[in-house]
Amino acid sequence: MQVIRSDIHRRHHCAELDGGKIIDSWEHPGRADMVDRATDEVDMAVSPPAVLDRRLLESVHDPGYLAFLETAWTRWVDAGHTTACAMAFTWPARRMTGPAPTTIDGLLGHHSFAADCSIGAHTWPAAAESAAIAQTAADRAVDAASAVFARCRPPGHHASRDQFGGYCYLNNAAVVAQRLRDRGHDKVAILDIDYHHGNGTQDIFYEREDVVFASLHADPRREFPYFLGHADETGRGDGAGANLNLPLPHGTGASDWLAALDTALGWITDAAPTAAVVSLGVDTYHDDPISRFTLATDDFPEVGRRLRRLPDPVVFVLEGGYATEQLGVNVVGVLRGFEPG
Amino acid sequence: MQVIRSDIHRRHHCAELDGGKIIDSWEHPGRADMVDRATDEVDMAVSPPAVLDRRLLESVHDPGYLAFLETAWTRWVDAGHTTACAMAFTWPARRMTGPAPTTIDGLLGHHSFAADCSIGAHTWPAAAESAAIAQTAADRAVDAASAVFARCRPPGHHASRDQFGGYCYLNNAAVVAQRLRDRGHDKVAILDIDYHHGNGTQDIFYEREDVVFASLHADPRREFPYFLGHADETGRGDGAGANLNLPLPHGTGASDWLAALDTALGWITDAAPTAAVVSLGVDTYHDDPISRFTLATDDFPEVGRRLRRLPDPVVFVLEGGYATEQLGVNVVGVLRGFEPG
């Protein structure tokens, strides 16, 4: 399987608010290093991304949001702030409404839903490169009619049409799905197997029937992102019935998780897409420091094997996974389970 | 003028997220000390609060929110967190919905809209005492048919029916207004002259006609709370037309500010209430460290004089003001301008 990747991400490592403290984010450059090492060890072919098509990005993200992301760091500095990362401190929560503010502290809240994620000097270049990786992987998958792995960093599935959060700024899986649509696939499925619900991906396609979304994840009543990902969210308007959430309890192990995966795969088969995107998080791993499922390293090849039910081509997009030492092995476990040798 | 106050607040001093850093909150015990010193210097009569009536509190706040506030600190510690203050890290921003989460990190986000405010071991007792001060002030005002000053801390006007934020947990002004209603006043006005919009007070009474709300404040397009306080928010349902927001630009000085005050007072007169609450913030002061209006100490007595247009009785409720050294003098300026000697 081909890998699309780049090193531009290295300079992006921001702060996060975690347990009432500001810490270096769990989402750090070393994650990509471990994945790269593991894919190199099994001799997967590596290519760099092509130039990002801004129109593609604007077809899944609000242009005003993109302009905000590009300029947020400069505006933060210009406002007199001194920290290395721009972080919101207030958000339009529930009944709070109103137009977008005009100052950076207000805009940061308007365009995010979490303080686990902030914007530094190198965040926009890294996020744009990550989206370029996604776009390029989609193109390769169509051109070669075979599976491709987009080694994206930062991840993307929590980024909505116009909000960052959960370490995500641009929605790489959405970029892939939209590109597959634009390249001739009438219906595309996104299967999100990260431990956390892909709230951003759901948000982007919630009213569309041409991109169906299925996610198995920790029950949001107890787990981030908390405020989206419930079983009764099934789509709206043209997208009614095109969204499937399978929330699972803390402590879910391989047997129950694989059963939920089969349910999601059956639902996708019924929707009859002609191409698929896998939001590949391996924070379902039992030793993941911020997650609470109990899959073992030996389980990930089986995950890959079951994903063969997806329609060709399949684009794998790297999402979460924070047990750094085992991250690469678990990712490669899925990829080689899907496509051995 | 009588002052109702207590020292229970002293042990409440939490952390806030400000400019990407965790700092000791601008809203600290020394603020109340300065106000107490200034009111003592002019020999204002001091009384402690009576016992808080839980039913009164539940008539302006959601009972589930109150149960959350009471238990949040214990649940934070039980979850293994080690910081002195419980702080949310993610919020149900804009299109994020779903039911209340069941774990403390999710609940903190569900029940707040900002990380400028957190919950420590002594926050609930302080907030409840502050609400008791408000309740007692309302009772005294009715009993004596004269003005009373509720020296509340923590402040309250940003606290909505079920959300904390902006240093506020329980809405003291709302407690006063509801008590005045319960004690026989058919219509009550709340006038909010704090630098920041009283989003919580607006939220609580937005669909009621029996408590009208007027606020002059920094334009939320550029200033906290950003997501509420715009001029086009005029009330809903039974409360249609019973909400007046007068947003003012950064740099507003006494002349323009007093003109806006007169507009608000005229609007209140037209509504014909029989009692009034003043949310008294003096962060309109030119040296306030986190605000951008330019009122001088000499202006505050004139503010008090103009407030005589309000119907008797008037209850003053302390809200913001962070220029600690001058805070007490400015507060007393308003109170003595209103009622000399």
Side-chain angles (χ1 to χ4, degrees):
Chain A
M1 191 183 304
Q2 278 195 78
V3 184
I4 313 298
R5 74 187 193 206
S6 140
D7 285 337
I8 298 289
H9 73 88
R10 288 187 174 281
R11 300 179 73 185
H12 163 68
H13 185 198
C14 272
E16 73 171 275
L17 180 62
D18 177 86
K21 294 189 293 285
I22 304 278
I23 63 170
D24 286 339
S25 180
W26 291 100
E27 200 293 293
H28 60 84
R31 294 180 60 247
D33 291 341
M34 295 306 286
V35 173
D36 293 351
R37 198 168 307 166
T39 52
D40 287 348
E41 274 176 11
V42 297
D43 291 325
M44 290 174 66
V46 175
S47 302
V51 174
L52 179 62
D53 177 352
R54 181 73 172 225
R55 288 164 306 177
L56 173 62
L57 211 51
E58 292 185 351
S59 62
V60 295
H61 287 292
D62 180 65
Y65 172 64
L66 298 175
F68 158 79
L69 279 183
E70 271 191 281
T71 59
W73 170 250
T74 303
R75 295 185 68 172
W76 177 258
V77 173
D78 289 348
H81 291 305
T82 57
T83 56
C85 298
M87 190 180 282
F89 76 98
T90 183
W91 288 262
R94 294 201 280 149
R95 298 179 302 278
M96 302 191 86
T97 53
T102 59
T103 53
I104 183 61
D105 286 283
L107 279 168
L108 282 163
H110 179 77
H111 282 307
S112 70
F113 63 91
D116 67 347
C117 181
S118 52
I119 296 176
H122 306 292
T123 299
W124 169 256
E129 184 84 345
S130 197
I133 289 170
Q135 167 196 302
T136 305
D139 285 338
R140 292 294 167 80
V142 172
D143 294 342
S146 70
V148 179
F149 173 47
R151 201 279 283 127
C152 293
R153 180 182 179 267
H157 72 144
H158 293 303
S160 78
R161 176 163 286 280
D162 57 4
Q163 293 166 303
F164 68 95
Y167 314 144
C168 300
Y169 308 87
L170 298 174
N171 196 308
N172 308 310
V175 165
V176 172
Q178 185 62 49
R179 190 66 153 199
L180 292 171
R181 285 284 294 109
D182 295 345
R183 294 285 307 266
H185 286 278
D186 288 339
K187 185 177 275 191
V188 176
I190 302 177
L191 172 60
D192 191 322
I193 61 173
D194 188 278
Y195 173 79
H196 302 95
H197 178 247
N199 60 289
T201 315
Q202 171 173 312
D203 177 76
I204 290 170
F205 297 112
Y206 205 59
E207 300 188 13
R208 285 171 59 170
E209 59 187 333
D210 60 330
V211 178
V212 303
F213 177 69
S215 178
L216 41 160
H217 52 266
D219 191 331
R221 286 178 298 181
R222 302 198 62 186
E223 193 60 83
F224 184 87
Y226 298 108
F227 311 112
L228 220 57
H230 303 274
D232 61 357
E233 297 158 9
T234 55
R236 188 190 299 124
D238 287 347
N243 195 89
L244 175 70
N245 285 326
L246 299 173
L248 300 166
H250 279 176
T252 293
S255 171
D256 290 344
W257 192 90
L258 288 168
L261 178 65
D262 288 341
T263 299
L265 288 167
W267 182 86
I268 287 173
T269 300
D270 290 346
T274 61
V277 186
V278 175
S279 267
L280 177 56
V282 293
D283 38 8
T284 46
Y285 179 55
H286 68 87
D287 258 356
D288 192 274
I290 61 173
S291 308
R292 301 199 189 181
F293 286 172
T294 64
L295 272 64
T297 292
D298 287 349
D299 295 321
F300 289 103
E302 175 61 19
V303 174
R305 277 189 288 278
R306 297 205 188 189
L307 293 178
R308 292 182 202 162
R309 285 176 66 185
L310 292 171
D312 285 328
V314 174
V315 177
F316 291 87
V317 177
L318 184 61
E319 303 286 2
Y322 309 95
T324 311
E325 288 307 311
Q326 209 62 12
L327 179 61
V329 173
N330 292 342
V331 165
V332 166
V334 175
L335 300 179
R336 300 282 279 200
F338 181 84
E339 186 177 291
Chain B
M1 191 183 304
Q2 278 195 78
V3 183
I4 313 298
R5 74 186 193 206
S6 140
D7 286 337
I8 298 288
H9 72 88
R10 286 187 176 282
R11 299 180 74 186
H12 163 67
H13 186 198
C14 272
E16 73 172 273
L17 180 63
D18 177 87
K21 294 188 293 284
I22 303 279
I23 63 171
D24 286 340
S25 181
W26 292 99
E27 200 293 292
H28 59 84
R31 294 179 59 248
D33 291 340
M34 296 305 286
V35 173
D36 292 350
R37 198 169 307 167
T39 52
D40 287 347
E41 275 176 10
V42 296
D43 290 325
M44 290 174 65
V46 174
S47 302
V51 174
L52 179 62
D53 177 352
R54 181 73 173 225
R55 287 165 305 177
L56 173 61
L57 211 51
E58 291 186 350
S59 62
V60 294
H61 287 291
D62 180 64
Y65 172 64
L66 299 174
F68 158 78
L69 279 183
E70 271 192 280
T71 58
W73 170 250
T74 304
R75 296 185 67 171
W76 178 258
V77 173
D78 289 349
H81 291 305
T82 56
T83 58
C85 297
M87 191 179 282
F89 77 97
T90 184
W91 289 263
R94 297 201 278 148
R95 297 179 302 279
M96 301 191 88
T97 54
T102 58
T103 53
I104 184 61
D105 286 282
L107 279 168
L108 283 162
H110 179 77
H111 282 307
S112 70
F113 62 91
D116 68 347
C117 182
S118 52
I119 297 176
H122 306 290
T123 299
W124 170 255
E129 184 83 346
S130 197
I133 289 171
Q135 168 196 301
T136 305
D139 285 337
R140 292 294 168 82
V142 172
D143 294 342
S146 71
V148 179
F149 174 48
R151 200 280 282 127
C152 292
R153 179 180 182 269
H157 72 145
H158 293 303
S160 78
R161 177 164 285 279
D162 57 5
Q163 292 166 303
F164 68 95
Y167 315 145
C168 300
Y169 307 88
L170 298 175
N171 195 307
N172 307 310
V175 165
V176 173
Q178 186 61 49
R179 190 66 155 198
L180 292 171
R181 285 285 295 108
D182 295 344
R183 293 285 307 267
H185 287 279
D186 288 340
K187 186 178 274 191
V188 176
I190 302 177
L191 173 60
D192 191 322
I193 62 172
D194 188 278
Y195 173 80
H196 302 95
H197 177 247
N199 61 287
T201 315
Q202 171 173 313
D203 176 76
I204 290 170
F205 296 112
Y206 204 59
E207 299 188 13
R208 285 173 59 171
E209 59 186 334
D210 61 329
V211 179
V212 303
F213 177 69
S215 179
L216 40 160
H217 51 267
D219 191 332
R221 286 178 298 181
R222 302 197 60 187
E223 193 61 83
F224 185 86
Y226 299 109
F227 311 112
L228 219 59
H230 303 275
D232 62 356
E233 297 159 8
T234 56
R236 188 189 300 126
D238 288 346
N243 195 90
L244 176 70
N245 285 325
L246 299 172
L248 300 167
H250 279 177
T252 294
S255 172
D256 290 343
W257 192 90
L258 288 167
L261 178 64
D262 289 341
T263 300
L265 289 166
W267 183 85
I268 287 173
T269 301
D270 290 345
T274 61
V277 186
V278 176
S279 267
L280 178 56
V282 292
D283 38 7
T284 47
Y285 179 57
H286 67 86
D287 259 355
D288 192 275
I290 61 172
S291 307
R292 301 199 188 180
F293 286 171
T294 64
L295 272 65
T297 291
D298 287 349
D299 294 321
F300 290 103
E302 175 61 18
V303 174
R305 276 190 289 279
R306 297 203 187 190
L307 294 177
R308 292 182 203 162
R309 286 175 68 186
L310 292 170
D312 284 330
V314 174
V315 177
F316 291 87
V317 178
L318 184 62
E319 303 286 1
Y322 308 95
T324 312
E325 287 307 311
Q326 208 62 13
L327 179 62
V329 173
N330 292 341
V331 166
V332 167
V334 174
L335 300 178
R336 300 282 279 199
F338 181 83
E339 187 178 287

